[in-house]
Amino acid sequence: MPINPDQQSQIDALRATPRQTLRAVSEGMEKHLYLAHEVLDHGFVRVVDYMGDDAAIVQAARVSYGAGTKATRDDAGLIRYLMRHWHSTPFEMCEVKLHVKLPIFVARQWIRHRTANVNEYSGRYSILDREFYIPAPEHLAAQSRKNHQGRDQVLEGEEAERVLSLLKEDAGRAYDHYEAMLSEEGQQGLARELARMNLPANIYTQWYWKTDLHNLFHFLRLRADSHAQYEIRVYADAICRIVADWVPHAYAAFEDYRMGAVQLSAKGVDVLQRRLRGETVTQETSGMSKGEWREFAAVWGEAE
Amino acid sequence: MPINPDQQSQIDALRATPRQTLRAVSEGMEKHLYLAHEVLDHGFVRVVDYMGDDAAIVQAARVSYGAGTKATRDDAGLIRYLMRHWHSTPFEMCEVKLHVKLPIFVARQWIRHRTANVNEYSGRYSILDREFYIPAPEHLAAQSRKNHQGRDQVLEGEEAERVLSLLKEDAGRAYDHYEAMLSEEGQQGLARELARMNLPANIYTQWYWKTDLHNLFHFLRLRADSHAQYEIRVYADAICRIVADWVPHAYAAFEDYRMGAVQLSAKGVDVLQRRLRGETVTQETSGMSKGEWREFAAVWGEAE
Amino acid sequence: MPINPDQQSQIDALRATPRQTLRAVSEGMEKHLYLAHEVLDHGFVRVVDYMGDDAAIVQAARVSYGAGTKATRDDAGLIRYLMRHWHSTPFEMCEVKLHVKLPIFVARQWIRHRTANVNEYSGRYSILDREFYIPAPEHLAAQSRKNHQGRDQVLEGEEAERVLSLLKEDAGRAYDHYEAMLSEEGQQGLARELARMNLPANIYTQWYWKTDLHNLFHFLRLRADSHAQYEIRVYADAICRIVADWVPHAYAAFEDYRMGAVQLSAKGVDVLQRRLRGETVTQETSGMSKGEWREFAAVWGEAE
Amino acid sequence: MPINPDQQSQIDALRATPRQTLRAVSEGMEKHLYLAHEVLDHGFVRVVDYMGDDAAIVQAARVSYGAGTKATRDDAGLIRYLMRHWHSTPFEMCEVKLHVKLPIFVARQWIRHRTANVNEYSGRYSILDREFYIPAPEHLAAQSRKNHQGRDQVLEGEEAERVLSLLKEDAGRAYDHYEAMLSEEGQQGLARELARMNLPANIYTQWYWKTDLHNLFHFLRLRADSHAQYEIRVYADAICRIVADWVPHAYAAFEDYRMGAVQLSAKGVDVLQRRLRGETVTQETSGMSKGEWREFAAVWGEAE
């Protein structure tokens, strides 16, 4: 259960008391505030606060571009132009603060994105809850044979059952022993900062995570991508849906110019230009390595 | 004139239309929103947006410290504790976005603080306004003889007049020639990105500047300090007054633990401990260099 | 003259005394060390120090990918793979420190790249030299009529002469008055931190600038680009030549995947795929705006 | 065993082949290059590369302060001055790259320092080794009763034995099951990116970690401090010894002005000044809270 009744009543209280502000307000984002969007079996993403909206991006850009822009281009068009030409600073003028509950092995991938502010629940100071991520059967995938860091078919039958019961039993036992080591009944009780080392990487932690829209888009491009690990991708997907409501124009530009975009190398540009002129280009005549050609052909097809 | 009538009517419109939000609201900050606090002869600082308040700092810290803290320490006390022990991440959970108009030589000092987002008015794209910083007579100071980067007495009489007229005439002439080079009447007109090189460092520019409260405090500690150049210090002072209204508990802790604080070196600790025990310590017996002793004695006095 | 005899003899001394090290050495970079590559009329770029080489990128990547990679892919291939798939951290493991002399209006563009360490010559502390950037006649360009932040034809005849003489005279006069205000002969002498405000944006400053290879590539992609202002592009071009000698494999990958690359939006991908299938696509049927189509057609041509 | 024979022979090869360079060389650092300084039971810190030395700090500062400094202050004195006055940029001009092997729960604290470059061994791509941190008996401490995030007495007798055997057995079993889930014998084999979630936080990981000297000092001040968790403090201590050899002047200044320094709040300054004048000040008359007074009195004593 991602949110307990106590937490829910705090959320309800916050959502029941709107206040007046002179700041920019995004109606699409207000409806998400504080609500826990469930992710995985016990995780969530909650919007705690935000700054700015689509108009704030335009407003910041117009300081940098000066008066006169207004007449020639509407807001959505300017946002598309900024995104297309990699003008990142106006997108940095929006900020979002999320409360995220997530397994530690996901948190370790996430934290590699350094341009963000983080406050994590401390296992030195507090006792962690007994909550572990156990994959749903349809996400229990075999190691890919082709790709060192990928997944293949879903495990089936006895193997799947064996894996699930190992994960559950080991997590439960590790937590029992964590509690036993911490216990101060009839013994001193091990320090929290030491006892936590017994807990596995699928235990849940939580943090406040704050970043600007430009860096959030960078995170989403890498983590909502099909090559990202499923367990972080579902968080990125949940955030994508939130951002689409918060800054609809910026998100649409992001989808077109980042998520759905394709980067062509100089060699790739050359191959496509030759093909458009009617030439048949093969890997041998492309100048690309086999691996690169394979990735290229996945988008553009092989020459017949 | 820092704000023209057109801009003032935009500000008035924004201030006349409060909206509802579920976010944290700082009443103290709402009253500053959009208003231009005048700085120097043509500059200003305006709050464009903010995220969080004193309670948001505590809320973020409590994720990192977990439940149970509530009972033992109230908000102001926890904020003081966090500041005293250099826990910076909860302060990073507040964010502010300012619109600042400032001379270029001040902007060049300001931009050295890299952990911020900036959108500056572009002299490549737009034509800069004819506005220059000319020091008030009481701030026209002589070079310090003791300190390579300091000021001494205020200039007087003819010398002061000569300096003021040179600054005014050179700025005016440089701007006249800037306009003459840009003009497209009867000639092609020089590119804006080139013409701007003729303008002096006291011309005003403007930017949107967004940073978190931790990094803002770092900026204020260095720039509201008595050793900072007067022309940037007045901006820092104006921001201090805004922050005091925005997050009063955090600002009070900042004043006590940062602005009014003194850092004692290991040698300084030793000297004070000896003095408290009644020993007379001189520079010779302190282990400090002469320069260091001079700075130390300025706070703690010489031994009699 | 970018380097005076005193500085040259210091450089000569440093270049005359090789020492032994166990660190990674790039022979291609050693030959650049300390030498001033001249840029513009008085500027330069000098390599002061560097860390790492092509092999260091591979070595760092192999910690992150573990043993076994060695067999399947050679160094150049792995570097190309990392660049193609936006794995930035291995490139961050190389670092370079440059000494750059550049006009202030160029420095103000440069400093927007925040992920770098900078130590600038201080006009608060020291007296700036009498050296200004005056464009060569072939770079004295008119304002573009189509592009707010671009250049057009080179100015000619009287207009060119007028501009050059204004730039020279204003710079010289501003510097004369700077000296006059600073002078302590028969007067107190204005503080340096104030007098510098009279100097125009084409005066030269200098700094130490240190960054990692990933962020340097980002800088070069934006500033060695044809849309960058000429006066910063020549610095980027000089650095490109240095980097090509320092890390030849990484630089070749950068040229193919960044400098020579083309980013296709989702709409752009769709249009090219339709064209490859033989369809004629026009702006109207592309889903792109006119501005976007113009940029697209500049690379891919119009449909006949 | 922190280093296996294969790795050792690679290290030996690197140490046997010095090369010539024109760069700044720190003799004190050269002797550390590549050697594994053992930390905890299986961890290490190795210097992989470095940039700069004490002279490089001075050199960078002198660009920012200009000519003329040379005469008035020697290198060590200037470095002390820079450290005392929080001039951080010259220290950013030195860089170090470390290879560290450390338990995951230590890595999670370490990574909070965001201003660094990191390449970690990937559990998605590779199989982790069977190596766990098991505290030595003298570091198996009880939870502090006074401090939520502290340690108390060492555990003794049966309790200590029970904890050690739980930690060992759970780690061993978790690893056995990790291997069993990965195995492709007679089954598909679970994906590595999933199997790793079963591993506890005391398993060792390794990474390349690169940072500049200013940020390294910040890390060391927090992590070599007596309030830091023992398991990260021993890494910080090992790095302190390396830095003392690398940049002896800077390290001495760091010890005096950071590690051994005491920050006095405005209230603390007031109390000490009153005491020096002979006044007796108590908590009640100090203006400090009880908690703050306790920390103050720990350094300065109670009034008699």
Side-chain angles (χ1 to χ4, degrees):
Chain A
M1 187 180 53
I3 294 283
N4 66 38
D6 211 47
Q7 293 162 333
Q8 188 59 50
S9 69
Q10 284 179 41
I11 291 171
D12 292 345
L14 284 164
R15 288 197 57 82
T17 50
R19 295 177 66 180
Q20 290 212 317
T21 188
L22 294 172
R23 291 173 289 172
V25 171
S26 162
E27 296 301 346
M29 195 63 154
E30 289 286 330
K31 72 180 198 215
H32 287 288
L33 267 169
Y34 311 128
L35 295 178
H37 295 280
E38 302 192 6
V39 185
L40 299 179
D41 49 356
H42 300 290
F44 61 72
V45 172
R46 290 170 62 228
V47 181
V48 173
D49 209 341
Y50 69 91
M51 175 191 277
D53 56 4
D54 274 329
I57 298 165
V58 169
Q59 182 192 35
R62 282 187 177 137
V63 171
S64 74
Y65 289 105
T69 326
K70 246 174 271 185
T72 57
R73 211 181 271 126
D74 67 0
D75 281 12
L78 177 55
I79 286 175
R80 288 181 63 81
Y81 175 88
L82 295 168
M83 183 74 79
R84 189 159 74 247
H85 290 277
W86 304 91
H87 290 256
S88 55
T89 54
F91 297 101
E92 295 174 10
M93 290 292 156
C94 292
E95 190 91 9
V96 68
K97 181 159 57 178
L98 303 173
H99 179 188
V100 188
K101 189 172 161 193
L102 71 180
I104 281 178
F105 72 94
V106 174
R108 298 218 319 120
Q109 284 198 324
W110 194 306
I111 202 79
R112 293 181 185 186
H113 297 265
R114 288 156 297 174
T115 316
N117 310 114
V118 185
N119 254 95
E120 187 175 353
Y121 189 86
S122 166
R124 259 190 105 185
Y125 191 92
S126 308
I127 297 173
L128 290 162
D129 291 332
R130 183 194 284 269
E131 286 184 312
F132 300 89
Y133 167 61
I134 305 295
E138 65 270 27
H139 296 121
L140 211 63
Q143 174 64 30
S144 165
R145 302 293 156 104
K146 290 172 304 187
N147 182 343
H148 278 285
Q149 57 177 16
R151 294 187 187 184
D152 216 314
Q153 302 280 303
V154 171
L155 298 188
E156 292 186 349
E158 265 183 59
E159 184 180 357
E161 281 171 39
R162 200 162 51 237
V163 164
L164 283 178
S165 70
L166 285 176
L167 290 175
K168 281 181 204 164
E169 282 167 27
D170 282 2
R173 189 190 299 106
Y175 196 87
D176 289 345
H177 293 164
Y178 171 65
E179 281 189 317
M181 293 188 286
L182 288 175
S183 170
E184 302 184 355
E185 289 186 35
Q187 64 176 18
Q188 290 180 272
L190 184 64
R192 288 170 196 168
E193 66 180 28
L194 287 170
R196 63 176 166 167
M197 80 172 73
N198 204 53
L199 295 169
N202 59 345
I203 196 166
Y204 276 87
T205 183
Q206 38 187 300
W207 62 31
Y208 273 53
W209 188 70
K210 175 170 150 288
T211 194
D212 65 62
L213 183 58
H214 168 68
N215 281 288
L216 182 62
F217 278 147
H218 186 69
F219 174 85
L220 295 176
R221 179 161 67 104
L222 294 176
R223 301 305 176 179
D225 184 89
S226 63
H227 295 90
Q229 181 166 354
Y230 167 78
E231 282 78 14
I232 196 167
R233 200 167 68 233
V234 285
Y235 285 91
D237 290 344
I239 297 171
C240 279
R241 288 187 294 271
I242 291 167
V243 176
D245 286 337
W246 173 27
V247 281
H249 288 320
Y251 188 77
F254 167 70
E255 281 203 307
D256 194 16
Y257 293 116
R258 297 289 182 276
M259 287 306 287
V262 167
Q263 173 89 349
L264 284 172
S265 69
K267 285 181 183 126
V269 173
D270 176 63
V271 170
L272 283 193
Q273 286 174 333
R274 284 155 69 192
R275 276 205 194 169
L276 285 170
R277 291 195 302 264
E279 190 181 333
T280 297
V281 188
T282 62
Q283 186 249 316
E284 287 73 21
T285 61
S286 72
M288 295 186 194
S289 72
K290 281 187 181 156
E292 194 175 348
W293 180 258
R294 208 181 309 120
E295 295 172 20
F296 181 82
V299 179
W300 300 106
E302 295 276 353
E304 293 108 70
Chain B
M1 189 181 50
I3 294 283
N4 66 37
D6 208 46
Q7 292 162 335
Q8 190 57 50
S9 69
Q10 285 179 39
I11 291 172
D12 292 344
L14 285 164
R15 287 196 58 82
T17 51
R19 296 178 64 180
Q20 290 213 317
T21 187
L22 295 171
R23 290 173 289 171
V25 171
S26 163
E27 297 302 345
M29 195 63 154
E30 289 286 330
K31 75 180 194 213
H32 286 289
L33 268 168
Y34 311 126
L35 295 177
H37 295 280
E38 302 193 5
V39 185
L40 299 179
D41 49 356
H42 300 289
F44 61 73
V45 172
R46 289 170 63 228
V47 181
V48 173
D49 208 342
Y50 70 91
M51 175 190 279
D53 56 5
D54 274 329
I57 298 165
V58 169
Q59 181 192 36
R62 281 185 177 137
V63 171
S64 74
Y65 288 106
T69 326
K70 246 173 270 184
T72 56
R73 210 182 274 124
D74 68 0
D75 281 13
L78 178 55
I79 285 174
R80 287 181 63 81
Y81 175 90
L82 295 168
M83 184 73 78
R84 188 159 75 249
H85 291 276
W86 304 91
H87 290 255
S88 56
T89 54
F91 297 101
E92 295 174 11
M93 290 291 155
C94 293
E95 190 91 10
V96 68
K97 181 160 55 181
L98 303 173
H99 180 188
V100 188
K101 188 172 160 193
L102 70 180
I104 281 179
F105 72 96
V106 174
R108 298 218 320 120
Q109 284 198 323
W110 195 307
I111 202 80
R112 292 181 186 186
H113 297 265
R114 286 156 297 175
T115 316
N117 309 114
V118 185
N119 254 97
E120 187 175 353
Y121 188 87
S122 166
R124 260 191 106 186
Y125 191 91
S126 306
I127 297 172
L128 289 162
D129 290 334
R130 183 194 285 269
E131 284 184 314
F132 301 89
Y133 168 61
I134 304 295
E138 65 270 27
H139 296 121
L140 210 63
Q143 174 64 30
S144 165
R145 302 292 156 105
K146 291 174 302 189
N147 182 343
H148 279 285
Q149 55 177 17
R151 295 186 187 186
D152 216 313
Q153 303 280 303
V154 170
L155 297 188
E156 293 185 348
E158 266 184 59
E159 185 179 357
E161 280 171 41
R162 199 163 51 236
V163 165
L164 284 178
S165 71
L166 285 176
L167 289 175
K168 280 180 204 164
E169 282 166 28
D170 282 1
R173 189 189 300 105
Y175 196 87
D176 289 344
H177 293 165
Y178 171 66
E179 281 190 316
M181 292 189 286
L182 287 175
S183 169
E184 301 183 355
E185 289 184 36
Q187 61 177 19
Q188 290 180 272
L190 185 63
R192 290 170 195 168
E193 66 180 27
L194 287 171
R196 61 175 167 169
M197 79 171 75
N198 203 54
L199 296 168
N202 59 345
I203 195 167
Y204 277 87
T205 183
Q206 38 187 304
W207 62 31
Y208 274 53
W209 188 69
K210 175 171 150 286
T211 193
D212 65 64
L213 184 57
H214 167 69
N215 281 289
L216 183 62
F217 278 149
H218 185 70
F219 174 86
L220 295 176
R221 179 162 67 104
L222 295 176
R223 302 303 177 182
D225 185 87
S226 64
H227 295 90
Q229 181 165 353
Y230 166 79
E231 281 77 16
I232 195 166
R233 200 165 71 234
V234 285
Y235 285 91
D237 289 343
I239 297 172
C240 280
R241 288 188 293 272
I242 291 167
V243 176
D245 287 337
W246 173 28
V247 281
H249 289 321
Y251 188 77
F254 167 70
E255 280 202 308
D256 195 16
Y257 294 117
R258 297 289 182 276
M259 287 306 287
V262 167
Q263 174 90 348
L264 283 173
S265 70
K267 285 182 184 127
V269 173
D270 177 62
V271 170
L272 282 192
Q273 286 174 334
R274 286 156 68 193
R275 277 205 192 170
L276 285 171
R277 290 194 302 266
E279 189 181 332
T280 298
V281 187
T282 61
Q283 187 248 314
E284 286 71 22
T285 61
S286 71
M288 295 187 195
S289 71
K290 281 185 183 159
E292 193 174 349
W293 180 259
R294 207 181 309 120
E295 296 173 20
F296 181 81
V299 180
W300 301 105
E302 294 278 350
E304 294 108 68
Chain C
M1 187 180 53
I3 294 282
N4 67 38
D6 209 46
Q7 292 162 334
Q8 189 59 51
S9 70
Q10 285 180 41
I11 292 171
D12 292 345
L14 284 164
R15 288 198 58 83
T17 51
R19 296 179 63 182
Q20 288 212 319
T21 187
L22 294 172
R23 291 172 289 170
V25 171
S26 162
E27 297 301 346
M29 194 63 154
E30 290 286 330
K31 72 178 198 218
H32 287 289
L33 268 169
Y34 311 126
L35 294 177
H37 295 280
E38 302 193 6
V39 185
L40 299 178
D41 49 356
H42 300 289
F44 60 72
V45 172
R46 290 171 60 228
V47 181
V48 173
D49 208 342
Y50 69 91
M51 174 191 278
D53 56 4
D54 274 329
I57 298 166
V58 169
Q59 181 193 37
R62 281 185 177 139
V63 171
S64 76
Y65 289 105
T69 327
K70 245 175 272 187
T72 56
R73 212 181 272 125
D74 67 0
D75 280 12
L78 177 55
I79 285 174
R80 288 181 62 81
Y81 175 89
L82 295 168
M83 183 73 80
R84 190 158 74 247
H85 291 276
W86 304 90
H87 290 255
S88 55
T89 55
F91 296 100
E92 295 173 11
M93 290 290 156
C94 293
E95 190 91 9
V96 69
K97 182 160 54 181
L98 303 174
H99 179 187
V100 188
K101 188 172 161 194
L102 71 180
I104 281 180
F105 71 94
V106 174
R108 298 216 323 119
Q109 284 198 322
W110 194 307
I111 202 78
R112 294 182 186 184
H113 297 264
R114 288 157 297 173
T115 316
N117 310 114
V118 185
N119 253 95
E120 186 174 354
Y121 189 86
S122 167
R124 260 192 105 185
Y125 191 92
S126 307
I127 297 171
L128 290 162
D129 290 332
R130 185 194 283 269
E131 285 183 315
F132 301 89
Y133 168 62
I134 304 294
E138 64 270 27
H139 296 121
L140 209 64
Q143 174 65 30
S144 165
R145 302 291 157 106
K146 289 172 303 186
N147 183 344
H148 278 286
Q149 55 178 16
R151 294 188 187 185
D152 216 313
Q153 302 280 304
V154 171
L155 298 188
E156 293 186 347
E158 265 183 60
E159 184 179 357
E161 279 171 42
R162 199 161 51 236
V163 165
L164 283 177
S165 71
L166 285 177
L167 289 174
K168 279 181 206 165
E169 282 166 27
D170 282 0
R173 188 189 302 107
Y175 196 87
D176 288 344
H177 294 164
Y178 170 66
E179 282 189 316
M181 292 188 284
L182 289 174
S183 169
E184 301 183 355
E185 288 184 38
Q187 60 177 19
Q188 291 180 272
L190 184 63
R192 288 169 195 168
E193 66 181 28
L194 287 172
R196 62 176 165 166
M197 80 172 76
N198 204 53
L199 296 168
N202 60 343
I203 195 167
Y204 276 88
T205 184
Q206 38 186 304
W207 62 31
Y208 274 52
W209 189 70
K210 174 171 152 287
T211 195
D212 65 63
L213 184 58
H214 168 68
N215 281 289
L216 183 62
F217 278 149
H218 186 69
F219 173 86
L220 295 175
R221 180 162 67 104
L222 294 176
R223 302 304 177 182
D225 185 88
S226 64
H227 295 90
Q229 180 166 352
Y230 167 78
E231 281 77 17
I232 196 167
R233 200 167 69 232
V234 284
Y235 284 90
D237 289 343
I239 297 173
C240 280
R241 289 187 293 272
I242 291 168
V243 176
D245 286 337
W246 174 26
V247 281
H249 288 320
Y251 188 76
F254 167 71
E255 280 202 307
D256 195 16
Y257 293 117
R258 297 289 182 276
M259 287 307 286
V262 167
Q263 174 89 351
L264 284 172
S265 70
K267 285 183 184 126
V269 173
D270 176 64
V271 170
L272 282 192
Q273 286 175 333
R274 285 155 68 192
R275 277 205 194 170
L276 286 170
R277 288 195 303 265
E279 191 180 331
T280 298
V281 188
T282 62
Q283 187 248 317
E284 287 73 22
T285 62
S286 71
M288 295 185 194
S289 71
K290 280 185 183 160
E292 194 176 347
W293 179 259
R294 207 181 309 119
E295 295 172 21
F296 180 83
V299 179
W300 301 105
E302 294 276 352
E304 297 107 67
Chain D
M1 188 180 53
I3 293 284
N4 67 37
D6 210 46
Q7 292 161 334
Q8 189 58 51
S9 69
Q10 284 179 40
I11 292 171
D12 292 345
L14 284 164
R15 287 196 58 81
T17 50
R19 298 176 63 180
Q20 290 212 318
T21 187
L22 294 173
R23 291 174 289 172
V25 171
S26 163
E27 296 301 346
M29 194 63 153
E30 289 286 331
K31 74 181 196 212
H32 286 289
L33 268 171
Y34 311 127
L35 295 177
H37 296 279
E38 301 193 7
V39 185
L40 299 179
D41 49 356
H42 301 290
F44 60 72
V45 172
R46 292 169 62 227
V47 181
V48 174
D49 208 342
Y50 70 91
M51 174 190 279
D53 56 4
D54 274 329
I57 298 166
V58 169
Q59 180 193 37
R62 282 186 177 136
V63 170
S64 75
Y65 289 105
T69 327
K70 245 174 271 185
T72 58
R73 210 182 272 124
D74 68 0
D75 281 12
L78 177 55
I79 286 174
R80 287 180 63 80
Y81 175 89
L82 295 169
M83 183 74 78
R84 189 158 76 248
H85 291 276
W86 305 91
H87 290 255
S88 55
T89 54
F91 297 100
E92 295 174 12
M93 290 291 156
C94 293
E95 189 92 11
V96 68
K97 181 160 56 181
L98 303 173
H99 179 189
V100 187
K101 188 172 161 193
L102 71 179
I104 280 179
F105 72 95
V106 174
R108 298 217 320 120
Q109 285 198 322
W110 194 307
I111 202 80
R112 292 180 187 186
H113 297 264
R114 286 155 297 173
T115 317
N117 310 113
V118 185
N119 254 94
E120 187 174 353
Y121 189 86
S122 167
R124 261 191 105 185
Y125 191 91
S126 307
I127 296 171
L128 290 162
D129 290 333
R130 184 194 284 270
E131 284 184 315
F132 300 90
Y133 168 61
I134 306 294
E138 65 271 25
H139 296 120
L140 210 63
Q143 174 64 29
S144 165
R145 301 292 156 105
K146 290 173 303 188
N147 182 343
H148 279 285
Q149 55 177 18
R151 294 186 187 188
D152 217 314
Q153 303 279 303
V154 170
L155 298 188
E156 291 184 347
E158 265 183 60
E159 186 180 354
E161 281 171 38
R162 199 162 52 236
V163 164
L164 284 177
S165 70
L166 284 177
L167 289 175
K168 280 181 203 163
E169 282 167 27
D170 282 0
R173 189 188 301 108
Y175 197 87
D176 289 345
H177 293 165
Y178 171 66
E179 281 190 315
M181 293 189 287
L182 288 175
S183 169
E184 301 184 354
E185 289 186 35
Q187 63 177 17
Q188 290 179 271
L190 184 64
R192 288 169 196 169
E193 67 180 27
L194 287 171
R196 62 176 167 167
M197 80 170 77
N198 204 54
L199 295 168
N202 59 344
I203 196 167
Y204 276 87
T205 184
Q206 40 187 299
W207 62 30
Y208 273 52
W209 188 70
K210 173 169 151 290
T211 194
D212 65 63
L213 183 59
H214 168 68
N215 281 289
L216 183 62
F217 278 148
H218 186 69
F219 174 86
L220 295 176
R221 178 160 69 104
L222 295 176
R223 302 303 177 182
D225 184 87
S226 65
H227 295 91
Q229 181 166 353
Y230 167 78
E231 281 77 16
I232 196 165
R233 200 167 68 234
V234 286
Y235 284 90
D237 290 343
I239 297 172
C240 279
R241 289 187 293 272
I242 291 168
V243 176
D245 287 337
W246 174 26
V247 279
H249 288 321
Y251 188 76
F254 168 70
E255 280 202 309
D256 195 15
Y257 294 116
R258 297 287 182 277
M259 286 307 285
V262 167
Q263 173 90 349
L264 283 173
S265 70
K267 286 182 182 125
V269 173
D270 176 62
V271 171
L272 283 191
Q273 285 174 334
R274 286 155 67 192
R275 277 205 193 170
L276 285 170
R277 291 195 300 266
E279 190 181 334
T280 298
V281 189
T282 62
Q283 187 248 315
E284 287 72 22
T285 61
S286 71
M288 294 187 195
S289 71
K290 281 186 182 156
E292 194 175 347
W293 181 258
R294 207 181 308 119
E295 295 172 21
F296 181 82
V299 180
W300 301 105
E302 294 277 352
E304 295 107 70

